Amino acid sequence: MFRTLVFHEVRPQKELNGRQRPIAVSDGYEDSLPLPLFDSLPLFEEQINYLKDAGYHSLSIGEVQGFYEKKLLLPEKSVLLTFDDCYQSMKEYAYPVLKKAGWKAAAFVVSGWLFDEPSAYDPNSSRVLSTAELEEMRDVFEYVNHTSHFHRRKGTTMSSAMWETTEDFKQDLYDCNQFVDIKDAFAYPFGLYDQRTIDTLKEMSFKLAFTTKPGVNTKDTHPLELHRDVIPYSLSIEQFKNLMEEV
């Protein structure tokens, strides 16, 4: 079994000032990133150091695929680290911590959000990185499908894949796959999906899909409804340790 952790923004404590920030993406979609999706840099460093010192194994997407497709055993205390959306803070703050620790992670990419050119880090917005910047971090991150332009929502109950046509969703998945490394794994935008979404992924030969439902993944977990635990800055290191002890 294994646990999957999801991070969005890792920021210094001084930037966690209790307010939401607008996202900045190349296709013009407008939204704000909720505060529970931020993690503090000091806490993130403590979390990664704890995982390393306590003997946890940093999983790859390929190992998770082998666990479900080939029934391969995973190392004890296995954990998959994931980042969603590829904001500037992923490169500015999370990447150096992971590289120093020798840890790998999967980054779910909204390919239609990526900018053509890098920009200076902006602490006042959640700005997405450029394609060139992602290329620079391939020694730590493997890139996985998170749609091309379908990372949109209506309220808190529907994402694009739930109201757009199946054919348009398939095309969007195909478009994102032209950029990412892993072409048969997926993360549901905002954690929102329905049975039609799952059926479309099956038709497109996707093997894994990640929700935002918390919990440990076992051999009995549906591989297209894998659990992920969102790690917010309000989670203390002791709470984090207690969470990981369940693996």
Side-chain angles (χ1 to χ4, degrees):
M1 64 181 181
F2 65 99
R3 191 178 286 280
T4 301
L5 309 182
V6 55
F7 301 90
H8 289 75
E9 286 256 42
V10 174
R11 299 274 194 129
Q13 194 66 43
K14 65 181 180 181
E15 294 182 18
L16 301 176
N17 53 13
R19 65 178 178 85
Q20 289 183 310
R21 290 171 178 81
I23 64 171
V25 302
S26 69
D27 71 0
Y29 174 67
E30 296 182 354
D31 207 337
S32 294
L33 199 65
L35 289 175
L37 300 185
F38 287 76
D39 193 18
S40 76
L41 178 58
L43 182 57
F44 181 70
E45 291 176 310
E46 199 170 2
Q47 291 162 347
I48 298 303
N49 288 335
Y50 165 73
L51 293 175
K52 181 179 179 181
D53 293 343
Y56 283 85
H57 173 74
S58 177
L59 284 172
S60 67
I61 294 291
E63 287 176 293
V64 176
Q65 289 174 326
F67 178 67
Y68 285 105
E69 294 180 45
K70 301 178 181 179
K71 310 304 179 185
L72 300 178
L73 295 177
L74 296 178
E76 291 186 13
K77 303 171 72 172
S78 285
V79 58
L80 175 65
L81 301 184
T82 67
F83 283 75
D84 280 9
D85 308 341
C86 300
Y87 297 108
Q88 285 183 321
S89 63
M90 187 177 92
K91 178 176 184 286
E92 187 80 7
Y93 299 118
Y95 171 71
V97 173
L98 293 171
K99 184 168 182 173
K100 181 179 179 181
W103 271 60
K104 305 292 187 180
F108 290 100
V109 181
V110 187
S111 61
W113 282 10
L114 298 174
F115 288 96
D116 292 333
E117 300 293 335
S119 296
Y121 175 73
D122 179 11
N124 296 311
S125 71
S126 292
R127 184 179 178 87
V128 169
L129 293 163
S130 67
T131 54
E133 288 169 307
L134 295 193
E135 289 292 334
E136 294 172 5
M137 298 188 291
R138 285 188 179 276
D139 57 335
V140 168
F141 293 103
E142 55 182 350
Y143 299 116
V144 194
N145 197 312
H146 202 29
T147 77
S148 180
H149 296 283
F150 269 40
H151 198 294
R152 297 170 291 165
R153 64 185 174 97
K154 292 179 179 178
T156 58
T157 59
M158 293 191 72
S159 66
S160 288
M162 300 167 69
W163 75 72
E164 299 284 4
T165 67
T166 298
E167 289 307 309
D168 285 346
F169 181 38
K170 287 181 178 179
Q171 182 64 50
D172 186 86
L173 291 169
Y174 173 82
D175 291 343
C176 187
N177 267 351
Q178 304 316 296
F179 175 82
V180 297
D181 306 310
I182 311 297
K183 304 179 188 300
D184 55 2
F186 183 71
Y188 298 105
F190 313 102
L192 300 173
Y193 65 100
D194 56 15
Q195 188 58 49
R196 185 167 71 100
T197 316
I198 296 174
D199 292 341
T200 302
L201 293 175
K202 288 180 180 178
E203 290 179 33
M204 294 283 288
S205 300
F206 279 77
K207 306 300 183 186
L208 304 175
F210 294 84
T211 71
T212 53
K213 297 176 182 177
V216 172
N217 294 296
T218 71
K219 61 181 179 62
D220 297 319
T221 307
H222 194 300
L224 293 179
E225 293 185 272
L226 295 171
H227 302 291
R228 286 200 299 169
D229 290 272
V230 176
I231 306 299
Y233 73 91
S234 58
L235 190 76
S236 71
I237 188 61
E238 290 307 319
Q239 290 172 316
F240 181 81
K241 291 178 180 179
N242 290 338
L243 180 75
M244 295 309 304
E245 285 177 359
E246 298 176 25
V247 178

